[in-house]
Amino acid sequence: GENVEQHPSTLSVQEGDSAVIKCTYSDSASNYFPWYKQELGKRPQLIIDIRSNVGEKKDQRIAVTLNKTAKHFSLHITETQPEDSAVYFCAARRNQFYFGTGTSLTVIP
Amino acid sequence: GAGVSQSPRYKVAKRGQDVALRCDPISGHVSLFWYQQALGQGPEFLTYFQNEAQLDKSGLPSDRFFAERPEGSVSTLKIQRTQQEDSAVYLCATKGRVDYEQYFGPGTRLTVT
């Protein structure tokens, strides 16, 4: 099956700085790559996604890039705010979804 | 409309008991996924249905775990003879036929004592 690796596992940034989280995947047939934000005790919430026919997608302060050749994709959050503090998961999907191990992001006011 | 619902939200079981966890999908969603999320970990794929057909159960950790979706709507995840290592949040997610995105339920937190 698919293997998704995610780095870093923890990330602390000052408010207003940027945060970058990186994931790699193993199955070249994976065609959809969502990113989720999960707050403590809550369900994962989709924040942005990208399909395999697109290299980059942006939604306000959040962007995702995909390099199909290298089989990696990244989440970029600019102008971070304290409310961005949460655990972020990447995932890759061919038929079913496989998740990374998560990044705990702390934004320091 | 209503989202994905799961019941119970919390379940405490004594080691060795059987439990049944229910997932009510968004109406019309054909794909249904079950995940196990241990504390501090990402969701781990357990099994996947398309309508009533279980297309992949490769993530079920042992033969104590069994899932069904007999009418292609509500799904039940059953765990027999629960063990302490089964303690986790069990998430259900569903997806429409043409959707890329999956929609998560609130999860069932299972604690085995």
Side-chain angles (χ1 to χ4, degrees):
Chain A
E2 174 68 277
N3 181 40
V4 179
E5 296 192 354
Q6 182 172 347
H7 301 280
S9 57
T10 60
L11 179 59
S12 291
V13 299
Q14 291 288 334
E15 182 177 358
D17 287 351
S18 295
V20 180
I21 303 170
K22 298 184 178 183
C23 288
T24 61
Y25 62 100
S26 60
D27 186 351
S28 56
S30 289
N31 59 9
Y32 175 63
F33 306 91
W35 286 90
Y36 296 89
K37 177 182 181 183
Q38 189 175 32
E39 296 173 327
L40 195 63
K42 301 276 182 70
R43 73 191 82 184
Q45 278 194 300
L46 179 72
I47 56 170
I48 196 166
D49 56 11
I50 192 166
R51 301 179 195 177
S52 58
N53 58 349
V54 175
E56 184 172 357
K57 183 176 176 181
K58 189 171 181 182
D59 182 4
Q60 298 183 11
R61 297 187 297 109
I62 297 172
V64 57
T65 59
L66 171 65
N67 183 326
K68 281 174 54 179
T69 304
K71 294 203 281 261
H72 67 69
F73 55 115
S74 300
L75 176 71
H76 305 251
I77 306 174
T78 58
E79 300 169 27
T80 53
Q81 301 166 2
E83 52 265 38
D84 294 331
S85 296
V87 179
Y88 291 80
F89 293 99
C90 63
R93 192 204 85 180
R94 181 182 179 180
N95 294 312
Q96 53 276 57
F97 293 78
Y98 291 92
F99 284 76
T101 48
T103 297
S104 179
L105 173 64
T106 302
V107 179
I108 303 163
Chain B
V4 180
S5 61
Q6 292 186 245
S7 60
R9 293 292 315 278
Y10 303 90
K11 177 69 180 177
V12 179
K14 288 189 180 349
R15 190 160 58 94
Q17 281 185 331
D18 298 349
V19 298
L21 313 180
R22 178 186 169 109
C23 174
D24 284 82
I26 293 172
S27 178
H29 276 196
V30 299
S31 300
L32 186 147
F33 306 86
W34 282 101
Y35 299 92
Q36 180 190 61
Q37 187 172 24
L39 193 63
Q41 302 294 316
E44 294 265 356
F45 169 78
L46 293 177
T47 187
Y48 155 54
F49 290 86
Q50 188 153 313
N51 296 305
E52 69 278 4
Q54 189 174 20
L55 298 188
D56 188 337
K57 54 181 181 178
S58 63
L60 296 176
S62 77
D63 58 8
R64 296 185 296 104
F65 286 71
F66 172 76
E68 59 184 6
R69 194 185 186 197
E71 296 177 358
S73 179
V74 171
S75 178
T76 305
L77 176 68
K78 297 179 180 178
I79 309 173
Q80 297 178 320
R81 304 181 303 281
T82 51
Q83 304 293 316
Q84 278 196 310
E85 60 262 29
D86 300 335
S87 295
V89 174
Y90 290 85
L91 291 163
C92 172
T94 71
K95 187 177 77 67
R97 186 181 298 279
V98 298
D99 292 339
Y100 278 79
E101 180 182 352
Q102 62 179 340
Y103 298 82
F104 281 94
T108 294
R109 182 177 297 278
L110 173 65
T111 303
V112 181
T113 60

